[in-house]
Amino acid sequence: MANPSQLGFQDAASPLMEEMIHFHDHALMIVFLISTLVLYIIVVAVSTSLTDLYILDSQGIEIVWTILPAIILILIALPSLRILYLTDEINDPHLTVKTIGHQWYWSYEYTDYEDLTFDSYMVPTQDLTPGQFRLLETDHRMVVPMESPVRILVTAEDVLHSWAVPALGVKMDAVPGRLNQTAFFTTRPGTYYGQCSEICGANHSFMPIMVEAVPLQHFENWSSAMLEDA
């Protein structure tokens, strides 16, 4: 969960999100160094005689400010491409969940089970109990086993939606008539919140996402109870 006045990311709950946070810090440090260097050059150029025509027309300086940005771009691009390809890696998932966006709620279908399907609606403010979060609580949460690769198939029934859970590093568009897929791996138990990240209509802000990661035994007990109710 995000905290009041928080400036950084939520705590990572998956290895992929940890990689994204590390890359963010890496790129931010490069931006900080570039900004510091440019500010220093501007101050020195304004306050000294560096504005001499000979210095400004220096071939050496032109070579440096052409090659240096290229090196910086490589230092940013390589880890960026690595993470980009990691987000597409789906190796032997232990569980597949189909997520369907509607106006304005989510449906979940556990494709490894025949009858394990349910809709997930936001809990109205007047029905919240102490400790629950406004606009983030759902009547049915998506339960997954922790430390297991989970594949998510994302689509929509009506308009564009986007299934996004920041702590898991997952954001996938739900497009009508198209089946997109992504995957995540939770490293610790907990409840992780997300929201539709595509402006999908009047109640766009009222279709939250709750993902609960539990030990495998707890997941088996939950799935058995859900199947009995079905």
Side-chain angles (χ1 to χ4, degrees), residues 50-127:
L50 280 181
T51 53
D52 182 84
L53 185 61
Y54 175 76
I55 298 295
L56 292 180
D57 289 340
S58 171
Q59 186 69 32
I61 291 179
E62 291 186 6
I63 293 174
V64 170
W65 72 39
T66 301
I67 296 178
L68 186 59
I71 296 174
I72 293 173
L73 288 176
I74 292 174
L75 293 177
I76 296 176
L78 292 180
S80 175
L81 290 173
R82 174 177 173 271
I83 295 175
L84 183 63
Y85 282 105
L86 282 176
T87 59
D88 288 334
E89 288 290 332
I90 302 177
N91 296 320
D92 190 23
H94 295 175
L95 179 70
T96 299
V97 183
K98 184 178 180 181
T99 302
I100 306 172
H102 307 267
Q103 289 183 313
W104 287 272
Y105 63 96
W106 296 98
S107 295
Y108 298 100
E109 299 178 2
Y110 287 70
T111 60
D112 301 288
Y113 301 84
E114 186 175 354
D115 297 317
L116 187 46
T117 64
F118 55 87
D119 297 329
S120 180
Y121 291 88
M122 187 192 76
V123 176
T125 302
Q126 62 270 19
D127 296 335

Side-chain angles (χ1 to χ4, degrees), residues 4 11 27 34 37 74 101 107 112 130 161 172 175 207 228:
D11 291 338
I34 292 173
L37 176 63
I74 292 174
S107 295
D112 301 288
H161 299 278
M172 180 58 64
V175 183
M207 49 184 303
E228 290 177 2

